[in-house]
Every structure is written in C-alpha cells, then in structure tokens.
Amino acid sequence: MPNIARIARRTFLIGAGGVAAGLAVGTYLYKRAPANPLQDALPDGAVSLNPYVRIDADGITLITPRADKGQGAYSVQAALIAEELDVAWGQFKVDPGPPSAAYFNGVVMAEGFPIAATSDSFMANTGRGAAGVMGKLLGVQLTGGSSTVADAFDKLRVAGAVARQMLLAAAAQQTGVAVAQLKTADGHVLMPDGKRIPYTALAAAAGKLTAPSDVALKPANEWRLLGKPMQRLDIVPKSTGTAVYGIDLRMPGMVYATVRTNPRRDGGIQRFDAKKAEAAKGVLKVVPITGGVGVIADNTWRAFQAAHLLEIEWGAAPYPATTGAMFQQAGESFTAERQDSRAKDEGDVDAALKATDPQLVLQAEYRVPYLAHAPLEPMNAVVMLKDGRLDVWTGTQIPRFTVTALAAQTGLAEDRIHLHVQIMGGSFGRRLEDDFARQAVELAQAHPGLPIKMTWTREEDMTHDYPRPQFIARARGAVEAGKVHAYDLGIASASVSASQFGRLNIPTPGPDMWIVAGAWDQPFAIPHYRVTGYRVPEMVPVSSWRSVGASANGFLHDGFLDELIVAAGADPLAERIRLCSHEPSRRVLQTVGELSGWGTPLPKGSGRGVAFALSFGVPVAEVVEVTATPQGIRIDKAFVVAEVGQVLDPVNLEAQMTGGMLFGLSHAMFSELTYEDGMPQQTNFHDYPSLRMHQVPQIAARALQTTGAGRIKGIGEPTVPPAAPALANAIFAATGQRIRELPLRKHIDFV
C-alpha cells in the first residue's frame, strides 16, 4: 500500500503519476486544476462536489470516466470512490461523465516511453512523471493500456474522501457539532446521539464550501469494499440481457443507416450507381460519404439490403495487395536505415556469437499475422444534428479526441458537441478509433433534424478494421555449459504509434517502443542480450490490439528463449527462474510451477509448456498442458499467475486473467487477417474462428500481491502475451514439432 495516510489535495488535482515520481513541474498550466465539467450541466437541485461526485434529491451519482468494455471498469472506479465516500455498494448510480480534460489519464502515456517496468531508478521515475504531465497537459482522456486502476487508485479515493469531508463540514455547520464527533456510513452523516443525516440533505450546503486542502485516506485494513469480492454493477443486466449497449438505443423519430466503404483501406471510390438502392423498400436517402456511400432507411435491415444493391467501383489499395507481399516488405526491413530502437543491448552479442562454433549458433525466424479486433458488437453510433447542436451516442475509449475531430469535421464549437458514452460489446482496442462516429456524423449532416442510428454490418466491421500489424522476428542465440549464453532478437513491424496517433493528431517523436514491447524489457540476466526494433513502412493502417506489441512479442521472445533452453538441455521452468533478474517475476515463475505441478509425470503423448512475459508492468507466467491425439492437439489444462501489486477485487481479477489467457490461446490457435487484391479475406466469424466451448481447458488462476507499497497495476492485457508461446512450447514438448508461425492451425490440427 502506498504511504498515503494523508494525501495532499494537489495529488488529486494533478494525478498520481507526477506525485509518485516526485516530479516538480512548476508551470502554471500543470498546477492549474482542470475545471469541473459537471458544473456546466447540473440539473436543478443537483450539486457536484468535484468531477467525480454528483448528488441530488434522488441520490448519489459517481462518475466513472474510463470506458467499460466488459472488464468491470465502471465497478472498480465506483468502488474506489465509494470506499472513501462511505456509501454502500449499490447505493449510487454510475455515469461515465462528459468528455473533459479533468478525466485525463496520466499513466497510459508512460507505456510509450523506453522505461523498463522493473526499473525504479530516479531517471525511470522521472520519465514516468513526465508522462503523467503530458497526460494532463494534453488532456488525454483515454481508456487503454490496462491503466484504469493504476491511474485511478489515488485520484478516485481522494475524490471520495474530499466529498465526504465536505459533507461532514456541512453537517457540522447545520448542527453545531464538531466534525471530530461525526462519523459517516452508508451515505449518511452519523450524529453522536444516533441521528442520521442523509448526504442528499447536506449536498447543497456542502457544495458551497471550499474543498479541503488535504484529506485522510483509509488504511487498507479498514477497507469495506476494496480487496474483497464485489458483485459487478453490470452483472445482472448483462446476465439477463437487459443491459443497453450503444447498438440497442431507440429514440422517437429515429431513422437507420449503414455504409459501404472501400475494403481496400484508403483506396477511395471511383464511381457509384445508387438507382437500385434508392428504389428499395424503406430507403429514405443515399448519401455519398468520404470513401464510400451511406444508405438511410426506415430500419437497419432495409438499410443493409439496400447497401448491397449499390453498384460501386472502388479505387486501388495504396499498399501491397497481398499478405505475401506485405511479409516480403517486412522481411526487407531488417536494415540499418530502418532500425527504430535498441533499448536492450547487454554484453557483447556479436563477439559471443562469433566465438561460438557456427554450427552451434541457433537461428530462427518467427512470424505473426495481422489480427482483427472483431468485437461482438459491430461499430455503431447514434447521431442527431439539430439547431446547431450535435449529439452523439456511442461506445468510445477516446471521448475528448472524438469531440475534437467532430468539431473539425462540422465546424461546430466543441461546447456544441455532446458525446454520450455507451457501454460496449467488446472492443480490444477497436474503439480507440473514431472513424465510425465521423461517418455517422456525415450522414447526420446530410439528413439533419432526426436521430440517425448508423450500424455497420459484420462484414463492414471485419473488413474495415485497423488491425494489429504483422510481425517478423529474426533471432540468433547460443548456449554454453547448459545455460543460455547469448540472445539476439530483431523484430520488424509497422508502427502502431505513428499510424494510430497520427489519426489522433498526436506527435510521436522518437522510437516506437510498441514494436519491441514485451521483448526489450524482459527481466532476464542473459550474459549477451540484445533486442532491436525495425520499423516497417506503413502498409495497412494499424492500431492498438489487446496488449499491443506485447501480444505478438510474447510469442516471438519467449518462443526463441524456449528454443535456446531446449538446446542447452535445461529444464524450461528452472532455466527461466535462474535467468530471472526481477524478484516479483521470479515469484510468478515459481508459483506457476507449484500451481501446475511442473515436473510431475504426464501420460505418453502429453506435454507441458511454460512461458513468461512482462507487459504493462505486470509479470505473468503461464503453463499449458496438451495431449497429442489422433484428431489433433487437445489442450487439457492451463495455469496463469500474475503479480499486480494490490488486488482490488479478487473475483473480477481472476476473471480478467482467465479471459485474457483464453483470448490469447484462441487467437494463437486460429486467427489471422490475410489480404488478397488489397482486401481482407476474412469477413465474419465463419472464417475468423474463435476457441469453442469444448476446446476450453481447465484453468487455474492465481494473483500475487507481493511487491512493496504503492504498486498497483491493471490486468486486462498482460495475460494475453504468454498464452501463445506457452501453447506452442507445450506442443513442442508433446510432439517435438517447433512451430514458429501463428496461427498454429496452419501447422497442426486441434481437437
């Protein structure tokens, strides 16, 4: 636990990152508190005590500004506020709040810096602090990088504590009883005589008070909610089908729309003929849009049917037309001119490999494909443009960026654009883009005055993704006296940062650490150890996919490490533990060994694989057990251990760990996005398959919280990277077949 028994209000205002780093940035902009956005649109009788707490006569609303994509973000954010505000679980509503710089994310920016998560040096902490400063100055309201909990842990607890202190002060004013004699519980101030004053009766008076300059936070041993299993706020509506996602919205007078744009991304449109579509039943209007055509109809199905009747001549793709040509370009990028980073360069790799008998230098090439995000809920948005005001209802991870983009698109001032964030049926990074929202606004500009719900078909969604880029790794290594001695890994990939942030108008100077994430920063003390990133010229525009670069590099880095360990004749788990230079990571490896019964005999034809990846500051080790059957490989059991510093909800954490591992296994086994004639060949889940229920193994998950005070991390992404290498290493152990390309089904069958 952090040593924050008392924490300054300044911490609340500027975020935990800069304070934790001890960074002193004395600029006016940095010290200035962002305005409370709730004050701009308070209903009659409502009071906002800070950007996270709103109270009116009907009750308490907690603002949870990080998007909920199914990971339980709303619940954990609410719990952080509710713990310190002293309200009972469920005694409040949650609301994502409006887009605002007040909800900046200071932690997510640090992932793009060349700072090893295992480093606690002054320079490392200063760099993290600088990233937090950037997050505030840029007003980066963004959900991603497993940063929600780490960024919110201090901020939201302080928000709850500040609001509680203001309510206590209001009660003291009204009753004449000193604050020291008052207590709080379940949304009430408790008087010494047993009387209970509800917060709702004190909010108006509290709102007139000045927020305290510092507040006391509860020590962990007094937590009522945090650290214990909590029923997620969304579990009942999602389990009963009553949850309302963006795609479920209905409004009076609503019309419905869809679009068709060039499946060759950015290829443009040459011409189109809309006669058949315009004559179709229910069609209200056919609208040219950027790069394609939109159809507005009286229901979504009729819009879909009419869109198929459009006769369109598309432009050519501005990138290589086939997957093979794209891999060739990636393969040609291992050059000095395209070297992007070399943040890991220890010992003398070249001398070590030169001193090794060439026959004994191990070399390998690994490949991973493009991957689609493929959330279950296809992209959609409801938009209404009326009387110079634009309202947009959609699920998004980047609300402020979207408002800025729509202001530029429409010419409206940003305060005339109202974005209403919806819960999402999955994202995996897809909703870090706003292309679909901009399309819906184009339709609204052509058909103003009514709400328009634009929905993509599944095929439009699959073929117009910004996918995870393909990667190629070329590796060399050597062993000596039964130990891994030299390891040289080069990774070539397009830059997610340049592609994605370019669309958001965020500058991306310097190397792109996502190209080597999950590889350059692994905590192994190999005598001669080098990881080099090479930037492939952008081909298909790419974006963040769950765990971003680490999603691929987990397979590339650990897969080759396993090859070296096998070549050394060492035990795969014992050698990883011996090489490990980071105590929390070592405990993770040791624990997964205990949990999985590593070393115990398996039946003939079965094998175990272990893999490790540290990403987003979280060390994760996974073990997979498989059996080779006549029908193919069967995954029998899987084990996952992670270390997150502080566990806030053990049940949800285990669910996220299990889900992340299954997500990684599923894509490792089956998924790829291939291109022909510049177009994705996969159009729906029939040719982009996922793990089936009968293929899901028994899974055991364990979270460790063994590191020192002040450390807390998210878990949504870090359990994805080790899944693919753990499975591939298990297949090797069972069959002797070393697979260096994903998806694995290209080389082996699965039951």
PDB file of all heavy atoms in Angstrom, residues 327-328 330-334 363-367 472-476 488-492 534 560:
ATOM      1  N   PHE A 327       4.465  -9.375 -46.093  1.00  0.00           N
ATOM      2  CA  PHE A 327       5.525 -10.026 -45.325  1.00  0.00           C
ATOM      3  C   PHE A 327       6.882  -9.807 -45.991  1.00  0.00           C
ATOM      4  O   PHE A 327       7.910  -9.687 -45.325  1.00  0.00           O
ATOM      5  CB  PHE A 327       5.239 -11.525 -45.170  1.00  0.00           C
ATOM      6  CG  PHE A 327       4.499 -11.867 -43.903  1.00  0.00           C
ATOM      7  CD1 PHE A 327       3.296 -12.566 -43.945  1.00  0.00           C
ATOM      8  CD2 PHE A 327       5.004 -11.500 -42.661  1.00  0.00           C
ATOM      9  CE1 PHE A 327       2.608 -12.879 -42.770  1.00  0.00           C
ATOM     10  CE2 PHE A 327       4.323 -11.820 -41.479  1.00  0.00           C
ATOM     11  CZ  PHE A 327       3.121 -12.506 -41.540  1.00  0.00           C
ATOM     12  N   GLN A 328       6.872  -9.763 -47.327  1.00  0.00           N
ATOM     13  CA  GLN A 328       8.152  -9.508 -48.003  1.00  0.00           C
ATOM     14  C   GLN A 328       8.687  -8.127 -47.629  1.00  0.00           C
ATOM     15  O   GLN A 328       9.881  -7.973 -47.361  1.00  0.00           O
ATOM     16  CB  GLN A 328       7.953  -9.602 -49.513  1.00  0.00           C
ATOM     17  CG  GLN A 328       9.258  -9.361 -50.284  1.00  0.00           C
ATOM     18  CD  GLN A 328       9.084  -9.520 -51.780  1.00  0.00           C
ATOM     19  OE1 GLN A 328       8.106 -10.091 -52.251  1.00  0.00           O
ATOM     20  NE2 GLN A 328      10.052  -9.018 -52.536  1.00  0.00           N
ATOM     21  N   ALA A 330       8.040  -6.506 -44.895  1.00  0.00           N
ATOM     22  CA  ALA A 330       8.508  -6.577 -43.501  1.00  0.00           C
ATOM     23  C   ALA A 330       9.874  -7.250 -43.433  1.00  0.00           C
ATOM     24  O   ALA A 330      10.776  -6.811 -42.701  1.00  0.00           O
ATOM     25  CB  ALA A 330       7.495  -7.326 -42.656  1.00  0.00           C
ATOM     26  N   GLY A 331      10.039  -8.296 -44.217  1.00  0.00           N
ATOM     27  CA  GLY A 331      11.305  -9.022 -44.207  1.00  0.00           C
ATOM     28  C   GLY A 331      12.468  -8.204 -44.738  1.00  0.00           C
ATOM     29  O   GLY A 331      13.635  -8.466 -44.397  1.00  0.00           O
ATOM     30  N   GLU A 332      12.163  -7.227 -45.585  1.00  0.00           N
ATOM     31  CA  GLU A 332      13.213  -6.368 -46.151  1.00  0.00           C
ATOM     32  C   GLU A 332      13.556  -5.189 -45.232  1.00  0.00           C
ATOM     33  O   GLU A 332      14.348  -4.318 -45.603  1.00  0.00           O
ATOM     34  CB  GLU A 332      12.751  -5.836 -47.516  1.00  0.00           C
ATOM     35  CG  GLU A 332      12.648  -6.928 -48.578  1.00  0.00           C
ATOM     36  CD  GLU A 332      11.958  -6.452 -49.847  1.00  0.00           C
ATOM     37  OE1 GLU A 332      11.421  -5.323 -49.844  1.00  0.00           O
ATOM     38  OE2 GLU A 332      11.949  -7.231 -50.820  1.00  0.00           O
ATOM     39  N   SER A 333      12.954  -5.173 -44.062  1.00  0.00           N
ATOM     40  CA  SER A 333      13.116  -4.018 -43.160  1.00  0.00           C
ATOM     41  C   SER A 333      14.193  -4.210 -42.099  1.00  0.00           C
ATOM     42  O   SER A 333      14.384  -3.338 -41.247  1.00  0.00           O
ATOM     43  CB  SER A 333      11.780  -3.689 -42.492  1.00  0.00           C
ATOM     44  OG  SER A 333      10.824  -3.305 -43.457  1.00  0.00           O
ATOM     45  N   PHE A 334      14.890  -5.342 -42.123  1.00  0.00           N
ATOM     46  CA  PHE A 334      15.978  -5.548 -41.154  1.00  0.00           C
ATOM     47  C   PHE A 334      17.245  -4.863 -41.664  1.00  0.00           C
ATOM     48  O   PHE A 334      18.240  -5.502 -41.998  1.00  0.00           O
ATOM     49  CB  PHE A 334      16.209  -7.049 -40.931  1.00  0.00           C
ATOM     50  CG  PHE A 334      15.073  -7.733 -40.214  1.00  0.00           C
ATOM     51  CD1 PHE A 334      14.026  -8.299 -40.935  1.00  0.00           C
ATOM     52  CD2 PHE A 334      15.043  -7.804 -38.833  1.00  0.00           C
ATOM     53  CE1 PHE A 334      12.976  -8.919 -40.276  1.00  0.00           C
ATOM     54  CE2 PHE A 334      13.992  -8.424 -38.161  1.00  0.00           C
ATOM     55  CZ  PHE A 334      12.951  -8.978 -38.888  1.00  0.00           C
ATOM     56  N   GLN A 363      19.526 -20.304 -35.032  1.00  0.00           N
ATOM     57  CA  GLN A 363      18.885 -19.208 -35.750  1.00  0.00           C
ATOM     58  C   GLN A 363      17.440 -19.595 -36.055  1.00  0.00           C
ATOM     59  O   GLN A 363      17.141 -20.770 -36.313  1.00  0.00           O
ATOM     60  CB  GLN A 363      19.615 -18.903 -37.062  1.00  0.00           C
ATOM     61  CG  GLN A 363      21.069 -18.504 -36.869  1.00  0.00           C
ATOM     62  CD  GLN A 363      21.701 -18.010 -38.164  1.00  0.00           C
ATOM     63  OE1 GLN A 363      21.247 -17.037 -38.756  1.00  0.00           O
ATOM     64  NE2 GLN A 363      22.756 -18.679 -38.584  1.00  0.00           N
ATOM     65  N   ALA A 364      16.579 -18.606 -36.038  1.00  0.00           N
ATOM     66  CA  ALA A 364      15.163 -18.894 -36.310  1.00  0.00           C
ATOM     67  C   ALA A 364      14.471 -17.635 -36.788  1.00  0.00           C
ATOM     68  O   ALA A 364      14.892 -16.513 -36.481  1.00  0.00           O
ATOM     69  CB  ALA A 364      14.479 -19.416 -35.053  1.00  0.00           C
ATOM     70  N   GLU A 365      13.411 -17.842 -37.566  1.00  0.00           N
ATOM     71  CA  GLU A 365      12.559 -16.716 -37.961  1.00  0.00           C
ATOM     72  C   GLU A 365      11.138 -17.023 -37.509  1.00  0.00           C
ATOM     73  O   GLU A 365      10.620 -18.115 -37.728  1.00  0.00           O
ATOM     74  CB  GLU A 365      12.587 -16.495 -39.477  1.00  0.00           C
ATOM     75  CG  GLU A 365      11.676 -15.342 -39.914  1.00  0.00           C
ATOM     76  CD  GLU A 365      11.804 -14.998 -41.383  1.00  0.00           C
ATOM     77  OE1 GLU A 365      12.879 -14.516 -41.784  1.00  0.00           O
ATOM     78  OE2 GLU A 365      10.823 -15.224 -42.132  1.00  0.00           O
ATOM     79  N   TYR A 366      10.525 -16.051 -36.867  1.00  0.00           N
ATOM     80  CA  TYR A 366       9.146 -16.185 -36.380  1.00  0.00           C
ATOM     81  C   TYR A 366       8.253 -15.187 -37.124  1.00  0.00           C
ATOM     82  O   TYR A 366       8.700 -14.097 -37.506  1.00  0.00           O
ATOM     83  CB  TYR A 366       9.082 -15.878 -34.879  1.00  0.00           C
ATOM     84  CG  TYR A 366       9.526 -17.009 -33.976  1.00  0.00           C
ATOM     85  CD1 TYR A 366      10.856 -17.382 -33.895  1.00  0.00           C
ATOM     86  CD2 TYR A 366       8.602 -17.691 -33.199  1.00  0.00           C
ATOM     87  CE1 TYR A 366      11.264 -18.410 -33.062  1.00  0.00           C
ATOM     88  CE2 TYR A 366       8.990 -18.722 -32.358  1.00  0.00           C
ATOM     89  CZ  TYR A 366      10.330 -19.070 -32.289  1.00  0.00           C
ATOM     90  OH  TYR A 366      10.717 -20.096 -31.467  1.00  0.00           O
ATOM     91  N   ARG A 367       6.969 -15.566 -37.265  1.00  0.00           N
ATOM     92  CA  ARG A 367       6.017 -14.677 -37.922  1.00  0.00           C
ATOM     93  C   ARG A 367       4.679 -14.691 -37.186  1.00  0.00           C
ATOM     94  O   ARG A 367       4.235 -15.751 -36.718  1.00  0.00           O
ATOM     95  CB  ARG A 367       5.769 -15.104 -39.375  1.00  0.00           C
ATOM     96  CG  ARG A 367       6.973 -14.955 -40.268  1.00  0.00           C
ATOM     97  CD  ARG A 367       6.594 -15.246 -41.721  1.00  0.00           C
ATOM     98  NE  ARG A 367       7.722 -14.973 -42.616  1.00  0.00           N
ATOM     99  CZ  ARG A 367       7.607 -14.744 -43.914  1.00  0.00           C
ATOM    100  NH1 ARG A 367       6.398 -14.770 -44.493  1.00  0.00           N
ATOM    101  NH2 ARG A 367       8.664 -14.490 -44.656  1.00  0.00           N
ATOM    102  N   ILE A 472       7.594  -9.821 -37.976  1.00  0.00           N
ATOM    103  CA  ILE A 472       8.601 -10.848 -38.254  1.00  0.00           C
ATOM    104  C   ILE A 472       9.732 -10.661 -37.255  1.00  0.00           C
ATOM    105  O   ILE A 472      10.162  -9.535 -37.002  1.00  0.00           O
ATOM    106  CB  ILE A 472       9.169 -10.745 -39.682  1.00  0.00           C
ATOM    107  CG1 ILE A 472       8.080 -11.038 -40.722  1.00  0.00           C
ATOM    108  CG2 ILE A 472      10.325 -11.711 -39.863  1.00  0.00           C
ATOM    109  CD1 ILE A 472       8.600 -10.982 -42.156  1.00  0.00           C
ATOM    110  N   ALA A 473      10.205 -11.767 -36.695  1.00  0.00           N
ATOM    111  CA  ALA A 473      11.373 -11.715 -35.807  1.00  0.00           C
ATOM    112  C   ALA A 473      12.460 -12.627 -36.357  1.00  0.00           C
ATOM    113  O   ALA A 473      12.171 -13.739 -36.820  1.00  0.00           O
ATOM    114  CB  ALA A 473      10.988 -12.159 -34.399  1.00  0.00           C
ATOM    115  N   ARG A 474      13.668 -12.144 -36.327  1.00  0.00           N
ATOM    116  CA  ARG A 474      14.828 -12.965 -36.688  1.00  0.00           C
ATOM    117  C   ARG A 474      15.731 -13.033 -35.471  1.00  0.00           C
ATOM    118  O   ARG A 474      16.107 -11.990 -34.901  1.00  0.00           O
ATOM    119  CB  ARG A 474      15.554 -12.379 -37.902  1.00  0.00           C
ATOM    120  CG  ARG A 474      14.709 -12.535 -39.164  1.00  0.00           C
ATOM    121  CD  ARG A 474      15.315 -11.926 -40.382  1.00  0.00           C
ATOM    122  NE  ARG A 474      14.440 -12.138 -41.542  1.00  0.00           N
ATOM    123  CZ  ARG A 474      14.560 -11.511 -42.694  1.00  0.00           C
ATOM    124  NH1 ARG A 474      15.552 -10.637 -42.873  1.00  0.00           N
ATOM    125  NH2 ARG A 474      13.720 -11.761 -43.689  1.00  0.00           N
ATOM    126  N   ALA A 475      16.059 -14.245 -35.095  1.00  0.00           N
ATOM    127  CA  ALA A 475      16.753 -14.449 -33.829  1.00  0.00           C
ATOM    128  C   ALA A 475      17.973 -15.329 -34.016  1.00  0.00           C
ATOM    129  O   ALA A 475      17.997 -16.225 -34.867  1.00  0.00           O
ATOM    130  CB  ALA A 475      15.805 -15.090 -32.818  1.00  0.00           C
ATOM    131  N   ARG A 476      18.981 -15.023 -33.229  1.00  0.00           N
ATOM    132  CA  ARG A 476      20.171 -15.870 -33.139  1.00  0.00           C
ATOM    133  C   ARG A 476      20.506 -16.042 -31.665  1.00  0.00           C
ATOM    134  O   ARG A 476      20.216 -15.165 -30.839  1.00  0.00           O
ATOM    135  CB  ARG A 476      21.368 -15.225 -33.842  1.00  0.00           C
ATOM    136  CG  ARG A 476      21.189 -14.949 -35.316  1.00  0.00           C
ATOM    137  CD  ARG A 476      22.442 -14.315 -35.900  1.00  0.00           C
ATOM    138  NE  ARG A 476      22.764 -13.074 -35.234  1.00  0.00           N
ATOM    139  CZ  ARG A 476      23.973 -12.485 -35.260  1.00  0.00           C
ATOM    140  NH1 ARG A 476      24.969 -13.080 -35.890  1.00  0.00           N
ATOM    141  NH2 ARG A 476      24.180 -11.339 -34.637  1.00  0.00           N
ATOM    142  N   ASP A 488      19.962 -12.783 -29.367  1.00  0.00           N
ATOM    143  CA  ASP A 488      19.902 -11.617 -30.248  1.00  0.00           C
ATOM    144  C   ASP A 488      18.603 -11.681 -31.034  1.00  0.00           C
ATOM    145  O   ASP A 488      18.402 -12.576 -31.843  1.00  0.00           O
ATOM    146  CB  ASP A 488      21.102 -11.628 -31.204  1.00  0.00           C
ATOM    147  CG  ASP A 488      21.159 -10.375 -32.087  1.00  0.00           C
ATOM    148  OD1 ASP A 488      20.542  -9.363 -31.711  1.00  0.00           O
ATOM    149  OD2 ASP A 488      21.823 -10.438 -33.133  1.00  0.00           O
ATOM    150  N   LEU A 489      17.712 -10.729 -30.768  1.00  0.00           N
ATOM    151  CA  LEU A 489      16.384 -10.753 -31.372  1.00  0.00           C
ATOM    152  C   LEU A 489      16.149  -9.456 -32.126  1.00  0.00           C
ATOM    153  O   LEU A 489      16.261  -8.362 -31.548  1.00  0.00           O
ATOM    154  CB  LEU A 489      15.308 -10.929 -30.278  1.00  0.00           C
ATOM    155  CG  LEU A 489      13.856 -11.020 -30.740  1.00  0.00           C
ATOM    156  CD1 LEU A 489      13.608 -12.332 -31.496  1.00  0.00           C
ATOM    157  CD2 LEU A 489      12.896 -10.925 -29.548  1.00  0.00           C
ATOM    158  N   GLY A 490      15.821  -9.559 -33.405  1.00  0.00           N
ATOM    159  CA  GLY A 490      15.401  -8.402 -34.195  1.00  0.00           C
ATOM    160  C   GLY A 490      13.930  -8.547 -34.543  1.00  0.00           C
ATOM    161  O   GLY A 490      13.478  -9.625 -34.944  1.00  0.00           O
ATOM    162  N   ILE A 491      13.167  -7.466 -34.377  1.00  0.00           N
ATOM    163  CA  ILE A 491      11.724  -7.504 -34.611  1.00  0.00           C
ATOM    164  C   ILE A 491      11.374  -6.407 -35.598  1.00  0.00           C
ATOM    165  O   ILE A 491      11.718  -5.235 -35.393  1.00  0.00           O
ATOM    166  CB  ILE A 491      10.941  -7.282 -33.304  1.00  0.00           C
ATOM    167  CG1 ILE A 491      11.294  -8.363 -32.276  1.00  0.00           C
ATOM    168  CG2 ILE A 491       9.440  -7.267 -33.565  1.00  0.00           C
ATOM    169  CD1 ILE A 491      10.751  -8.079 -30.886  1.00  0.00           C
ATOM    170  N   ALA A 492      10.659  -6.789 -36.663  1.00  0.00           N
ATOM    171  CA  ALA A 492      10.233  -5.811 -37.667  1.00  0.00           C
ATOM    172  C   ALA A 492       8.717  -5.734 -37.695  1.00  0.00           C
ATOM    173  O   ALA A 492       8.032  -6.756 -37.790  1.00  0.00           O
ATOM    174  CB  ALA A 492      10.763  -6.206 -39.048  1.00  0.00           C
ATOM    175  N   TYR A 534      12.845  -2.789 -35.729  1.00  0.00           N
ATOM    176  CA  TYR A 534      12.928  -2.232 -37.081  1.00  0.00           C
ATOM    177  C   TYR A 534      11.538  -1.784 -37.504  1.00  0.00           C
ATOM    178  O   TYR A 534      10.563  -2.519 -37.333  1.00  0.00           O
ATOM    179  CB  TYR A 534      13.469  -3.278 -38.064  1.00  0.00           C
ATOM    180  CG  TYR A 534      14.873  -3.738 -37.733  1.00  0.00           C
ATOM    181  CD1 TYR A 534      15.082  -4.835 -36.887  1.00  0.00           C
ATOM    182  CD2 TYR A 534      15.973  -3.068 -38.237  1.00  0.00           C
ATOM    183  CE1 TYR A 534      16.354  -5.256 -36.554  1.00  0.00           C
ATOM    184  CE2 TYR A 534      17.264  -3.483 -37.925  1.00  0.00           C
ATOM    185  CZ  TYR A 534      17.454  -4.577 -37.086  1.00  0.00           C
ATOM    186  OH  TYR A 534      18.733  -4.995 -36.769  1.00  0.00           O
ATOM    187  N   PHE A 560      11.619 -18.138 -28.819  1.00  0.00           N
ATOM    188  CA  PHE A 560      13.030 -18.387 -29.107  1.00  0.00           C
ATOM    189  C   PHE A 560      13.807 -18.683 -27.827  1.00  0.00           C
ATOM    190  O   PHE A 560      14.746 -19.485 -27.838  1.00  0.00           O
ATOM    191  CB  PHE A 560      13.658 -17.207 -29.834  1.00  0.00           C
ATOM    192  CG  PHE A 560      15.048 -17.495 -30.328  1.00  0.00           C
ATOM    193  CD1 PHE A 560      15.273 -18.480 -31.283  1.00  0.00           C
ATOM    194  CD2 PHE A 560      16.144 -16.802 -29.836  1.00  0.00           C
ATOM    195  CE1 PHE A 560      16.566 -18.770 -31.731  1.00  0.00           C
ATOM    196  CE2 PHE A 560      17.435 -17.076 -30.276  1.00  0.00           C
ATOM    197  CZ  PHE A 560      17.646 -18.072 -31.233  1.00  0.00           C
TER     198      PHE A 560
END
